[in-house]
mmCIF file of all heavy atoms in Angstrom:
data_model
loop_
_atom_site.group_PDB
_atom_site.id
_atom_site.type_symbol
_atom_site.label_atom_id
_atom_site.label_comp_id
_atom_site.label_asym_id
_atom_site.label_seq_id
_atom_site.Cartn_x
_atom_site.Cartn_y
_atom_site.Cartn_z
ATOM 1 N N GLU A 1 67.956 189.089 13.337
ATOM 2 C CA GLU A 1 68.671 188.552 12.169
ATOM 3 C C GLU A 1 67.904 188.827 10.883
ATOM 4 O O GLU A 1 68.480 189.173 9.853
ATOM 5 C CB GLU A 1 68.894 187.049 12.331
ATOM 6 C CG GLU A 1 69.913 186.670 13.389
ATOM 7 C CD GLU A 1 71.327 187.095 13.012
ATOM 8 O OE1 GLU A 1 71.581 187.373 11.819
ATOM 9 O OE2 GLU A 1 72.177 187.158 13.912
ATOM 10 N N LYS A 2 66.592 188.681 10.943
ATOM 11 C CA LYS A 2 65.765 188.927 9.751
ATOM 12 C C LYS A 2 65.819 190.392 9.359
ATOM 13 O O LYS A 2 65.902 190.736 8.165
ATOM 14 C CB LYS A 2 64.323 188.482 10.022
ATOM 15 C CG LYS A 2 63.375 188.721 8.854
ATOM 16 C CD LYS A 2 62.058 187.975 9.038
ATOM 17 C CE LYS A 2 62.229 186.535 8.611
ATOM 18 N NZ LYS A 2 60.950 185.840 8.382
ATOM 19 N N ILE A 3 65.790 191.280 10.340
ATOM 20 C CA ILE A 3 65.895 192.718 10.064
ATOM 21 C C ILE A 3 67.237 193.040 9.413
ATOM 22 O O ILE A 3 67.306 193.743 8.390
ATOM 23 C CB ILE A 3 65.709 193.522 11.366
ATOM 24 C CG1 ILE A 3 64.256 193.421 11.851
ATOM 25 C CG2 ILE A 3 66.089 194.994 11.159
ATOM 26 C CD1 ILE A 3 64.044 193.927 13.263
ATOM 27 N N LEU A 4 68.304 192.503 9.983
ATOM 28 C CA LEU A 4 69.642 192.802 9.447
ATOM 29 C C LEU A 4 69.829 192.223 8.044
ATOM 30 O O LEU A 4 70.471 192.843 7.194
ATOM 31 C CB LEU A 4 70.708 192.261 10.395
ATOM 32 C CG LEU A 4 70.812 192.985 11.742
ATOM 33 C CD1 LEU A 4 71.798 192.263 12.660
ATOM 34 C CD2 LEU A 4 71.224 194.441 11.553
ATOM 35 N N SER A 5 69.275 191.057 7.788
ATOM 36 C CA SER A 5 69.358 190.477 6.447
ATOM 37 C C SER A 5 68.643 191.357 5.426
ATOM 38 O O SER A 5 69.156 191.598 4.319
ATOM 39 C CB SER A 5 68.738 189.073 6.451
ATOM 40 O OG SER A 5 68.720 188.517 5.162
ATOM 41 N N ALA A 6 67.454 191.860 5.799
ATOM 42 C CA ALA A 6 66.712 192.751 4.898
ATOM 43 C C ALA A 6 67.457 194.063 4.698
ATOM 44 O O ALA A 6 67.462 194.629 3.588
ATOM 45 C CB ALA A 6 65.314 193.009 5.454
ATOM 46 N N VAL A 7 68.096 194.558 5.755
ATOM 47 C CA VAL A 7 68.887 195.786 5.639
ATOM 48 C C VAL A 7 69.999 195.610 4.624
ATOM 49 O O VAL A 7 70.234 196.478 3.757
ATOM 50 C CB VAL A 7 69.460 196.181 7.022
ATOM 51 C CG1 VAL A 7 70.585 197.204 6.871
ATOM 52 C CG2 VAL A 7 68.357 196.747 7.908
ATOM 53 N N GLU A 8 70.706 194.486 4.686
ATOM 54 C CA GLU A 8 71.801 194.241 3.738
ATOM 55 C C GLU A 8 71.281 194.128 2.309
ATOM 56 O O GLU A 8 71.901 194.625 1.366
ATOM 57 C CB GLU A 8 72.566 192.981 4.134
ATOM 58 C CG GLU A 8 73.392 193.142 5.386
ATOM 59 C CD GLU A 8 74.359 194.319 5.291
ATOM 60 O OE1 GLU A 8 75.107 194.389 4.283
ATOM 61 O OE2 GLU A 8 74.348 195.185 6.194
ATOM 62 N N GLN A 9 70.130 193.470 2.159
ATOM 63 C CA GLN A 9 69.537 193.350 0.827
ATOM 64 C C GLN A 9 69.142 194.719 0.280
ATOM 65 O O GLN A 9 69.372 195.029 -0.898
ATOM 66 C CB GLN A 9 68.316 192.428 0.884
ATOM 67 C CG GLN A 9 67.698 192.141 -0.478
ATOM 68 C CD GLN A 9 66.492 191.217 -0.379
ATOM 69 O OE1 GLN A 9 66.286 190.554 0.649
ATOM 70 N NE2 GLN A 9 65.691 191.180 -1.416
ATOM 71 N N ALA A 10 68.558 195.548 1.117
ATOM 72 C CA ALA A 10 68.155 196.894 0.685
ATOM 73 C C ALA A 10 69.370 197.748 0.345
ATOM 74 O O ALA A 10 69.353 198.519 -0.633
ATOM 75 C CB ALA A 10 67.320 197.564 1.775
ATOM 76 N N LYS A 11 70.432 197.629 1.130
ATOM 77 C CA LYS A 11 71.667 198.364 0.830
ATOM 78 C C LYS A 11 72.239 197.934 -0.522
ATOM 79 O O LYS A 11 72.697 198.773 -1.315
ATOM 80 C CB LYS A 11 72.704 198.125 1.930
ATOM 81 C CG LYS A 11 72.441 198.902 3.205
ATOM 82 C CD LYS A 11 73.326 198.448 4.336
ATOM 83 C CE LYS A 11 74.810 198.649 4.020
ATOM 84 N NZ LYS A 11 75.661 198.257 5.171
ATOM 85 N N HIS A 12 72.195 196.631 -0.793
ATOM 86 C CA HIS A 12 72.700 196.110 -2.062
ATOM 87 C C HIS A 12 71.920 196.691 -3.242
ATOM 88 O O HIS A 12 72.465 196.855 -4.346
ATOM 89 C CB HIS A 12 72.616 194.587 -2.056
ATOM 90 C CG HIS A 12 73.166 193.943 -3.289
ATOM 91 N ND1 HIS A 12 74.515 193.901 -3.585
ATOM 92 C CD2 HIS A 12 72.538 193.331 -4.329
ATOM 93 C CE1 HIS A 12 74.704 193.282 -4.727
ATOM 94 N NE2 HIS A 12 73.513 192.922 -5.205
ATOM 95 N N GLN A 13 70.633 196.999 -2.982
ATOM 96 C CA GLN A 13 69.784 197.573 -4.038
ATOM 97 C C GLN A 13 69.786 199.107 -3.989
ATOM 98 O O GLN A 13 68.977 199.744 -4.654
ATOM 99 C CB GLN A 13 68.359 197.027 -3.900
ATOM 100 C CG GLN A 13 68.268 195.513 -4.091
ATOM 101 C CD GLN A 13 66.852 194.991 -3.944
ATOM 102 O OE1 GLN A 13 65.917 195.470 -4.597
ATOM 103 N NE2 GLN A 13 66.672 194.014 -3.078
ATOM 104 N N HIS A 14 70.701 199.671 -3.197
ATOM 105 C CA HIS A 14 70.925 201.119 -3.142
ATOM 106 C C HIS A 14 69.732 201.886 -2.579
ATOM 107 O O HIS A 14 69.467 203.029 -2.997
ATOM 108 C CB HIS A 14 71.292 201.660 -4.531
ATOM 109 C CG HIS A 14 72.430 200.918 -5.166
ATOM 110 N ND1 HIS A 14 73.721 200.965 -4.670
ATOM 111 C CD2 HIS A 14 72.464 200.088 -6.243
ATOM 112 C CE1 HIS A 14 74.500 200.196 -5.421
ATOM 113 N NE2 HIS A 14 73.770 199.654 -6.372
ATOM 114 N N ALA A 15 69.025 201.279 -1.620
ATOM 115 C CA ALA A 15 67.952 202.002 -0.933
ATOM 116 C C ALA A 15 68.546 203.001 0.046
ATOM 117 O O ALA A 15 69.609 202.776 0.635
ATOM 118 C CB ALA A 15 67.040 201.030 -0.203
ATOM 119 N N ASP A 16 67.848 204.101 0.238
ATOM 120 C CA ASP A 16 68.254 205.101 1.225
ATOM 121 C C ASP A 16 67.621 204.837 2.590
ATOM 122 O O ASP A 16 68.229 205.107 3.634
ATOM 123 C CB ASP A 16 67.841 206.502 0.750
ATOM 124 C CG ASP A 16 68.474 206.864 -0.579
ATOM 125 O OD1 ASP A 16 69.711 206.907 -0.651
ATOM 126 O OD2 ASP A 16 67.714 207.091 -1.547
ATOM 127 N N VAL A 17 66.389 204.326 2.555
ATOM 128 C CA VAL A 17 65.621 204.076 3.784
ATOM 129 C C VAL A 17 64.948 202.716 3.634
ATOM 130 O O VAL A 17 64.487 202.357 2.554
ATOM 131 C CB VAL A 17 64.546 205.167 4.006
ATOM 132 C CG1 VAL A 17 63.742 204.883 5.279
ATOM 133 C CG2 VAL A 17 65.165 206.549 4.049
ATOM 134 N N ILE A 18 64.883 201.968 4.730
ATOM 135 C CA ILE A 18 64.102 200.730 4.746
ATOM 136 C C ILE A 18 63.140 200.800 5.928
ATOM 137 O O ILE A 18 63.520 201.189 7.037
ATOM 138 C CB ILE A 18 64.999 199.477 4.826
ATOM 139 C CG1 ILE A 18 64.125 198.203 4.835
ATOM 140 C CG2 ILE A 18 65.953 199.508 6.016
ATOM 141 C CD1 ILE A 18 64.913 196.919 4.660
ATOM 142 N N VAL A 19 61.884 200.444 5.682
ATOM 143 C CA VAL A 19 60.828 200.555 6.692
ATOM 144 C C VAL A 19 60.307 199.159 7.022
ATOM 145 O O VAL A 19 59.958 198.387 6.109
ATOM 146 C CB VAL A 19 59.671 201.448 6.210
ATOM 147 C CG1 VAL A 19 58.643 201.638 7.325
ATOM 148 C CG2 VAL A 19 60.200 202.795 5.731
ATOM 149 N N PHE A 20 60.234 198.852 8.305
ATOM 150 C CA PHE A 20 59.768 197.557 8.789
ATOM 151 C C PHE A 20 58.395 197.705 9.445
ATOM 152 O O PHE A 20 57.953 198.814 9.743
ATOM 153 C CB PHE A 20 60.777 196.985 9.788
ATOM 154 C CG PHE A 20 62.083 196.579 9.167
ATOM 155 C CD1 PHE A 20 63.132 197.485 9.070
ATOM 156 C CD2 PHE A 20 62.253 195.293 8.667
ATOM 157 C CE1 PHE A 20 64.338 197.119 8.494
ATOM 158 C CE2 PHE A 20 63.453 194.921 8.091
ATOM 159 C CZ PHE A 20 64.499 195.822 7.994
ATOM 160 N N PRO A 21 57.729 196.586 9.739
ATOM 161 C CA PRO A 21 56.412 196.667 10.391
ATOM 162 C C PRO A 21 56.485 197.063 11.862
ATOM 163 O O PRO A 21 57.546 197.133 12.478
ATOM 164 C CB PRO A 21 55.864 195.236 10.240
ATOM 165 C CG PRO A 21 56.648 194.625 9.131
ATOM 166 C CD PRO A 21 58.012 195.239 9.235
ATOM 167 N N GLU A 22 55.313 197.271 12.430
ATOM 168 C CA GLU A 22 55.140 197.629 13.841
ATOM 169 C C GLU A 22 55.686 196.535 14.762
ATOM 170 O O GLU A 22 55.478 195.333 14.522
ATOM 171 C CB GLU A 22 53.635 197.826 14.094
ATOM 172 C CG GLU A 22 53.237 198.180 15.503
ATOM 173 C CD GLU A 22 51.725 198.384 15.630
ATOM 174 O OE1 GLU A 22 50.985 198.105 14.656
ATOM 175 O OE2 GLU A 22 51.286 198.831 16.702
ATOM 176 N N LEU A 23 56.389 196.930 15.822
ATOM 177 C CA LEU A 23 56.926 196.004 16.825
ATOM 178 C C LEU A 23 57.649 194.813 16.194
ATOM 179 O O LEU A 23 57.548 193.674 16.671
ATOM 180 C CB LEU A 23 55.815 195.521 17.766
ATOM 181 C CG LEU A 23 55.186 196.562 18.693
ATOM 182 C CD1 LEU A 23 54.144 195.902 19.603
ATOM 183 C CD2 LEU A 23 56.224 197.272 19.549
ATOM 184 N N CYS A 24 58.391 195.077 15.115
ATOM 185 C CA CYS A 24 59.057 193.977 14.414
ATOM 186 C C CYS A 24 60.128 193.310 15.264
ATOM 187 O O CYS A 24 60.429 192.123 15.072
ATOM 188 C CB CYS A 24 59.645 194.467 13.090
ATOM 189 S SG CYS A 24 60.817 195.830 13.244
ATOM 190 N N VAL A 25 60.717 194.017 16.203
ATOM 191 C CA VAL A 25 61.762 193.421 17.037
ATOM 192 C C VAL A 25 61.186 192.323 17.926
ATOM 193 O O VAL A 25 61.797 191.271 18.117
ATOM 194 C CB VAL A 25 62.470 194.498 17.881
ATOM 195 C CG1 VAL A 25 63.489 193.859 18.825
ATOM 196 C CG2 VAL A 25 63.153 195.518 16.982
ATOM 197 N N THR A 26 59.989 192.532 18.451
ATOM 198 C CA THR A 26 59.364 191.551 19.347
ATOM 199 C C THR A 26 58.402 190.621 18.630
ATOM 200 O O THR A 26 58.064 189.560 19.146
ATOM 201 C CB THR A 26 58.566 192.252 20.448
ATOM 202 O OG1 THR A 26 57.549 193.071 19.843
ATOM 203 C CG2 THR A 26 59.466 193.108 21.317
ATOM 204 N N GLY A 27 57.952 190.990 17.433
ATOM 205 C CA GLY A 27 56.806 190.324 16.830
ATOM 206 C C GLY A 27 55.529 190.897 17.410
ATOM 207 O O GLY A 27 55.519 191.479 18.509
ATOM 208 N N TYR A 28 54.430 190.759 16.664
ATOM 209 C CA TYR A 28 53.171 191.378 17.084
ATOM 210 C C TYR A 28 52.037 190.363 17.030
ATOM 211 O O TYR A 28 51.941 189.611 16.051
ATOM 212 C CB TYR A 28 52.833 192.560 16.167
ATOM 213 C CG TYR A 28 51.643 193.374 16.629
ATOM 214 C CD1 TYR A 28 51.813 194.499 17.417
ATOM 215 C CD2 TYR A 28 50.348 192.999 16.302
ATOM 216 C CE1 TYR A 28 50.724 195.240 17.862
ATOM 217 C CE2 TYR A 28 49.256 193.725 16.734
ATOM 218 C CZ TYR A 28 49.447 194.839 17.510
ATOM 219 O OH TYR A 28 48.364 195.574 17.957
ATOM 220 N N PRO A 29 51.164 190.314 18.046
ATOM 221 C CA PRO A 29 51.206 191.067 19.300
ATOM 222 C C PRO A 29 51.894 190.272 20.403
ATOM 223 O O PRO A 29 51.585 189.096 20.607
ATOM 224 C CB PRO A 29 49.722 191.246 19.629
ATOM 225 C CG PRO A 29 49.066 190.004 19.079
ATOM 226 C CD PRO A 29 49.868 189.609 17.866
ATOM 227 N N PRO A 30 52.789 190.891 21.158
ATOM 228 C CA PRO A 30 53.451 190.173 22.246
ATOM 229 C C PRO A 30 52.598 189.986 23.480
ATOM 230 O O PRO A 30 52.972 189.266 24.401
ATOM 231 C CB PRO A 30 54.681 191.043 22.537
ATOM 232 C CG PRO A 30 54.317 192.404 22.061
ATOM 233 C CD PRO A 30 53.354 192.222 20.920
ATOM 234 N N GLU A 31 51.468 190.654 23.545
ATOM 235 C CA GLU A 31 50.508 190.525 24.640
ATOM 236 C C GLU A 31 51.196 190.691 26.009
ATOM 237 O O GLU A 31 52.016 191.585 26.185
ATOM 238 C CB GLU A 31 49.742 189.204 24.500
ATOM 239 C CG GLU A 31 48.970 189.127 23.177
ATOM 240 C CD GLU A 31 48.122 187.898 23.042
ATOM 241 O OE1 GLU A 31 48.638 186.838 22.618
ATOM 242 O OE2 GLU A 31 46.925 187.998 23.351
ATOM 243 N N ASP A 32 50.897 189.818 26.970
ATOM 244 C CA ASP A 32 51.381 190.050 28.335
ATOM 245 C C ASP A 32 52.872 189.787 28.523
ATOM 246 O O ASP A 32 53.401 190.011 29.623
ATOM 247 C CB ASP A 32 50.590 189.198 29.329
ATOM 248 C CG ASP A 32 49.268 189.847 29.720
ATOM 249 O OD1 ASP A 32 48.894 190.849 29.081
ATOM 250 O OD2 ASP A 32 48.602 189.359 30.653
ATOM 251 N N LEU A 33 53.555 189.349 27.480
ATOM 252 C CA LEU A 33 55.018 189.341 27.552
ATOM 253 C C LEU A 33 55.543 190.749 27.821
ATOM 254 O O LEU A 33 56.621 190.923 28.399
ATOM 255 C CB LEU A 33 55.613 188.798 26.255
ATOM 256 C CG LEU A 33 55.444 187.293 25.999
ATOM 257 C CD1 LEU A 33 55.893 186.960 24.584
ATOM 258 C CD2 LEU A 33 56.216 186.470 27.022
ATOM 259 N N LEU A 34 54.778 191.744 27.403
ATOM 260 C CA LEU A 34 55.183 193.133 27.618
ATOM 261 C C LEU A 34 55.176 193.518 29.094
ATOM 262 O O LEU A 34 55.722 194.565 29.460
ATOM 263 C CB LEU A 34 54.262 194.071 26.833
ATOM 264 C CG LEU A 34 54.380 194.006 25.311
ATOM 265 C CD1 LEU A 34 53.211 194.711 24.649
ATOM 266 C CD2 LEU A 34 55.703 194.594 24.849
#
């Protein structure tokens, strides 16, 4: 949800590309959850 919200905000500001941090989908570090 946080990624999609930022995507919409970036689109509203006419960005072509938006870059997120490492392992943003899982959060970092997920350790042995992996």
Side-chain angles (χ1 to χ4, degrees):
E1 289 293 342
K2 179 166 278 197
I3 291 168
L4 291 174
S5 176
V7 164
E8 289 305 309
Q9 185 180 344
K11 284 169 61 177
H12 183 71
Q13 297 180 53
H14 308 293
D16 300 299
V17 179
I18 180 170
V19 185
F20 291 90
E22 179 179 8
L23 293 183
C24 57
V25 176
T26 59
Y28 187 94
E31 300 184 275
D32 277 10
L33 289 171
L34 292 166

